[in-house]
Amino acid sequence: MHSPRQELRVDLGERSYPIVIGPSLLGREDLTPYVAGEQVMIVSNETVAPLYLEAAKACFPGKTVDAVVLPDGEKYKDWQTLNLIFDALLERRHSRKTTLVALGGGVVGDMTGFAAASYQRGVRFIQIPTTLLSQVDSSVGGKTGINHPLGKNMIGAFHQPEVVLIDTDTLSTLPDREVSAGLAEVIKYGLIQDVGFLAWLEENIDCLIALDGDALAEAIYRSCACKAGVVAKDEREGGLRAILNLGHTFGHAIETYAGYGTWLHGEAVGAGMLMAADLSVRLGRLDEESRDRARALILKARLPESVPAGMEPDDFRQLMAVDKKNVDGTLRLVLLDALGDAVIVSDEGSPALAETLQYFCQSS
Amino acid sequence: MHSPRQELRVDLGERSYPIVIGPSLLGREDLTPYVAGEQVMIVSNETVAPLYLEAAKACFPGKTVDAVVLPDGEKYKDWQTLNLIFDALLERRHSRKTTLVALGGGVVGDMTGFAAASYQRGVRFIQIPTTLLSQVDSSVGGKTGINHPLGKNMIGAFHQPEVVLIDTDTLSTLPDREVSAGLAEVIKYGLIQDVGFLAWLEENIDCLIALDGDALAEAIYRSCACKAGVVAKDEREGGLRAILNLGHTFGHAIETYAGYGTWLHGEAVGAGMLMAADLSVRLGRLDEESRDRARALILKARLPESVPAGMEPDDFRQLMAVDKKNVDGTLRLVLLDALGDAVIVSDEGSPALAETLQYFCQSS
């Protein structure tokens, strides 16, 4: 189906970079061509470091490699934890020519990227994502940042990596829940842009759940290619790029309501995509059959079908009001006109939205 | 000598912007063409807000103008205070189309700029600098950031404003010490690049000290033009731009040693320029007469001629080791080959540097 080591280019002019995908890359791939000076700082977390830190260090032969290990979890995606990276960089006197390396999931990637964007007003960074979600989502596109108590990812920067290294072997240690969370984003690419990929996913969902290496590599490659294509057309989210947020407006509200880290990001996006599909049907955009097909695939990926217990429509309204896509107070949502065809819609409080919120809040 | 309202363009391709300089601009100049959406957030401090906040609001007729007032001082240039800006933006639900306005000195400008660079991964901002130092220095060039306990301006971003509005009337309320601190940066432009401007300053230093409006406007215009020229050639400080840091490596060490805010930035830069000139002579780069001419002008501007009492050469060495200009552990300094001719030099611990440090630390 594909060669063991695949390479994909994200085309962003002078900020273009390669994504390398394959098994057994950690510790074998030489990443020194992407390092500017002599210093490297690997940022990881307490879960991932014991498994892969030594192998990651081996990707930088001849360099001075330091490491900082953060606590694990979305609830640590805050300023206090970010500051541990700055502390380590300054204590070990890393210069403006240093290179930061994110070794872990989306939280480590987002924080390391923002630290790299901000340290001495910007240094290089490299992504080594070790979860399915970060491999197919946050490692592509240059979005970095931290959470604020009043909103997710509210503080950050666009900062592109020099290279992304995806070693598919790291998925063998991934808990089931995180595999499902990653599949939510994989399914998203099919829903918004590629109905052929959606059909492939329907056929291969059992192999993916079972962590079949070839199927995972194929899903990762196609997901990254989809996202890279969208990002190349709209790096700073002026328009098109917003379709990558299918399910995210509802999903972010769920994450914030539940408390960061209680629901995994992908789980919340999965529920959010069900809500977006439901609203699309109520607005007459999508037929019920397509909605049911999307729903069946999402549930086969072992993703939740309801919102957190006790969450009310007003909780959604309040939390969705601070979404970054909103313009001058008007809510903007990503909906589906068909499977593989997403659209961005302004919603000034439609009755259909009220119905969708009511429906999901009642059934939880 | 010049028209009452002058305009200067900082040429940075699609990030180009105008600097408007003149008396009585606050409250009269319409800045709404530089605002993208309907929301404006003015960031000021406890000292400046009572004097100029209402006038600044009047620059945005028809817009929703909110304000956040920070405590005043370099010691508040930290994450905790920066977060007050994010809190205000999120509490009042400012969208990605909001515009931040910095109304105050360099600290307010640097923090507001960094908040604008980071809020929702980047929004617009406008600079209304109200101190001489911020008018001639930090309002031009897009450097933004906050301090870290281990180093000044270590966390930040390059983020260019939409427009800079310099109302020279605001200088009438500026304390003497801050006028002198601003003059340090004005003198710097003469020293690094424009010996003709240096001669003009020698002739007009008494008028400047006496806050003569025409002399100030001329000094501001020529300083901004000098900086704009350098920044246009090297926006992200790949090389040339570093000459703007004359006196800053020594100066940052003084500021950090004394505790942020004890010495004003310009005061530390003034002492730092004396040290750079002294070192330049010891290295055989600069003649003693030029050094004495620089020294006389700096002292006429009422700037300190010694370093903080008790500061030792090793304090300098340790604090200068984390300077952003350093590359792979080697100190880089801006020195003078002549008045009006700065040069960037690597110093791996020369005996001349030891002599300069010893000389200034003994005389303090």
Side-chain angles (χ1 to χ4, degrees):
Chain A
M1 177 158 51
H2 54 82
S3 66
R5 181 187 183 282
Q6 295 176 285
E7 200 167 320
L8 187 71
R9 192 151 186 86
V10 183
D11 186 10
L12 296 168
E14 60 180 22
R15 290 182 300 283
S16 296
Y17 60 90
I19 303 174
V20 183
I21 304 167
S24 306
L25 297 177
L26 259 183
R28 294 200 188 169
E29 198 82 6
D30 179 5
L31 296 177
T32 53
Y34 302 100
V35 171
E38 296 306 314
Q39 298 169 305
V40 172
M41 175 68 75
I42 300 179
V43 181
S44 190
N45 70 31
E46 293 167 347
T47 308
V48 176
L51 298 168
Y52 303 117
L53 181 56
E54 287 312 309
K57 283 183 177 175
C59 293
F60 303 94
K63 301 294 177 184
T64 305
V65 185
D66 291 313
V68 54
V69 176
L70 309 178
D72 184 11
E74 179 86 23
K75 70 179 165 185
Y76 296 106
K77 192 173 161 182
D78 58 13
W79 172 260
Q80 285 76 10
T81 310
L82 180 71
N83 220 24
L84 298 177
I85 305 175
F86 296 131
D87 290 347
L89 288 165
L90 284 163
E91 279 161 13
R92 292 171 214 179
R93 298 198 177 160
H94 279 243
S95 80
R96 198 188 274 177
K97 291 229 166 153
T98 190
T99 302
L100 270 64
V101 178
L103 175 70
V107 172
V108 166
D110 285 5
M111 295 183 75
T112 307
F114 187 42
S118 309
Y119 184 62
Q120 305 213 15
R121 300 198 187 90
V123 299
R124 291 184 175 213
F125 94 113
I126 290 172
Q127 293 261 30
I128 306 181
T130 60
T131 65
L132 181 58
L133 187 112
S134 59
Q135 289 170 351
V136 300
D137 179 26
S138 52
S139 67
V140 188
K143 283 192 178 180
T144 72
I146 56 174
N147 297 329
H148 183 283
L150 295 177
K152 195 173 146 69
N153 292 328
M154 280 292 160
I155 301 161
F158 287 94
H159 194 59
Q160 304 296 345
E162 303 296 316
V163 60
V164 178
L165 186 76
I166 298 178
D167 185 337
T168 51
D169 288 353
T170 59
L171 298 178
S172 64
T173 52
L174 200 66
D176 286 351
R177 250 185 95 186
E178 297 212 29
V179 173
S180 294
L183 287 173
E185 295 281 355
V186 173
I187 292 167
K188 183 192 76 179
Y189 295 114
L191 289 175
I192 61 173
Q193 191 156 280
D194 189 347
V195 72
F197 183 39
L198 198 75
W200 183 90
L201 287 170
E202 290 173 323
E203 273 169 45
N204 289 276
I205 187 71
D206 294 331
C207 297
L208 292 167
I209 291 279
L211 295 180
D212 174 87
D214 286 346
L216 284 170
E218 177 74 6
I220 293 166
Y221 184 89
R222 290 179 78 163
S223 296
C224 288
C226 174
K227 181 156 185 182
V230 172
V231 169
K233 285 183 200 132
D234 178 21
E235 186 179 357
R236 295 183 72 97
E237 198 162 321
L240 175 70
R241 183 166 173 168
I243 66 168
L244 295 172
N245 288 308
L246 177 70
H248 283 60
T249 307
F250 296 113
H252 284 169
I254 290 172
E255 280 181 274
T256 307
Y257 176 85
Y260 294 138
T262 312
W263 278 51
L264 295 177
H265 174 67
E267 292 171 335
V269 167
M273 292 193 296
L274 291 177
M275 296 177 78
D278 178 273
L279 178 55
S280 301
V281 170
R282 288 181 200 271
L283 288 168
R285 293 180 166 276
L286 187 71
D287 60 82
E288 295 190 8
E289 194 186 337
S290 296
R291 178 200 60 197
D292 293 343
R293 217 179 125 189
R295 187 168 182 278
L297 182 59
I298 290 167
L299 297 188
K300 268 199 163 177
R302 302 172 308 194
L303 288 158
E305 60 180 314
S306 56
V307 304
M311 194 168 178
E312 297 286 340
D314 272 349
D315 296 320
F316 273 102
R317 281 192 197 92
Q318 208 166 336
L319 292 164
M320 296 196 302
V322 294
D323 189 82
K324 288 194 291 300
K325 286 186 298 301
N326 298 346
V327 176
D328 289 330
T330 299
L331 190 64
R332 280 156 60 82
L333 294 167
V334 186
L335 299 175
L336 294 175
D337 277 352
L339 296 179
D341 184 10
V343 61
I344 300 152
V345 173
S346 291
D347 190 308
E348 309 198 29
S350 67
L353 176 60
E355 286 166 26
T356 292
L357 295 178
Q358 195 61 41
Y359 175 77
F360 278 84
C361 290
Q362 269 179 348
S363 64
S364 73
Chain B
M1 179 156 52
H2 53 81
S3 66
R5 182 188 183 281
Q6 296 175 288
E7 200 167 319
L8 186 72
R9 193 150 185 86
V10 183
D11 186 11
L12 296 168
E14 61 180 20
R15 290 181 300 283
S16 296
Y17 60 90
I19 303 175
V20 183
I21 304 167
S24 305
L25 298 177
L26 259 182
R28 293 198 189 170
E29 198 81 7
D30 179 5
L31 296 177
T32 53
Y34 301 100
V35 172
E38 296 306 314
Q39 298 170 305
V40 172
M41 175 68 75
I42 300 179
V43 182
S44 192
N45 70 33
E46 292 166 347
T47 308
V48 175
L51 297 168
Y52 303 117
L53 181 56
E54 286 312 309
K57 283 184 176 174
C59 293
F60 303 95
K63 301 294 177 183
T64 305
V65 185
D66 291 313
V68 54
V69 176
L70 309 178
D72 183 12
E74 178 86 23
K75 69 178 166 187
Y76 296 105
K77 192 172 162 181
D78 59 13
W79 172 260
Q80 285 76 10
T81 311
L82 181 72
N83 219 25
L84 297 176
I85 305 175
F86 295 132
D87 290 346
L89 288 165
L90 284 163
E91 278 161 12
R92 292 171 213 178
R93 296 196 179 162
H94 280 244
S95 80
R96 197 188 274 179
K97 290 230 166 155
T98 189
T99 301
L100 271 63
V101 179
L103 175 70
V107 172
V108 166
D110 285 5
M111 294 181 76
T112 307
F114 187 42
S118 310
Y119 184 62
Q120 304 210 15
R121 299 197 188 92
V123 300
R124 290 184 176 214
F125 94 113
I126 290 172
Q127 293 261 31
I128 306 181
T130 61
T131 65
L132 181 57
L133 187 113
S134 60
Q135 289 170 352
V136 300
D137 178 28
S138 51
S139 66
V140 189
K143 283 191 179 180
T144 72
I146 55 173
N147 298 328
H148 183 282
L150 295 178
K152 197 171 143 72
N153 292 327
M154 280 292 160
I155 301 161
F158 286 94
H159 194 60
Q160 305 295 344
E162 302 296 315
V163 60
V164 178
L165 186 77
I166 298 178
D167 185 336
T168 52
D169 288 354
T170 58
L171 299 179
S172 65
T173 52
L174 199 64
D176 286 351
R177 251 184 95 185
E178 298 211 29
V179 173
S180 294
L183 287 174
E185 296 280 355
V186 172
I187 292 167
K188 182 192 76 180
Y189 295 114
L191 289 176
I192 60 172
Q193 192 157 276
D194 189 346
V195 71
F197 183 39
L198 198 74
W200 183 91
L201 287 170
E202 290 173 322
E203 273 169 43
N204 290 276
I205 187 71
D206 295 331
C207 297
L208 292 166
I209 291 280
L211 294 179
D212 175 85
D214 285 348
L216 284 169
E218 176 73 7
I220 293 166
Y221 184 90
R222 290 179 77 163
S223 296
C224 288
C226 174
K227 180 156 187 182
V230 172
V231 169
K233 286 183 200 134
D234 179 20
E235 185 178 357
R236 293 182 73 97
E237 198 162 321
L240 176 70
R241 182 165 175 169
I243 67 168
L244 296 171
N245 287 309
L246 177 70
H248 283 60
T249 307
F250 296 112
H252 285 169
I254 290 172
E255 280 181 274
T256 307
Y257 177 85
Y260 294 137
T262 310
W263 279 51
L264 295 177
H265 173 68
E267 292 171 334
V269 167
M273 291 193 298
L274 292 177
M275 296 177 78
D278 179 274
L279 178 55
S280 301
V281 170
R282 289 182 199 270
L283 288 168
R285 293 181 165 276
L286 187 71
D287 60 81
E288 294 190 7
E289 195 185 336
S290 295
R291 178 201 60 197
D292 294 343
R293 219 179 123 188
R295 187 168 182 276
L297 183 59
I298 290 167
L299 297 188
K300 268 199 165 175
R302 303 173 308 196
L303 288 158
E305 58 181 314
S306 55
V307 304
M311 193 167 179
E312 299 285 341
D314 272 350
D315 296 321
F316 274 102
R317 283 193 196 92
Q318 207 167 338
L319 292 164
M320 295 197 302
V322 295
D323 189 82
K324 289 194 292 298
K325 287 187 296 306
N326 298 346
V327 177
D328 289 330
T330 300
L331 190 63
R332 281 156 60 83
L333 293 167
V334 187
L335 299 177
L336 295 175
D337 277 351
L339 295 180
D341 184 10
V343 61
I344 300 151
V345 173
S346 291
D347 189 308
E348 307 197 32
S350 68
L353 176 60
E355 287 166 26
T356 293
L357 295 179
Q358 194 62 39
Y359 176 77
F360 278 84
C361 290
Q362 269 178 348
S363 64
S364 73

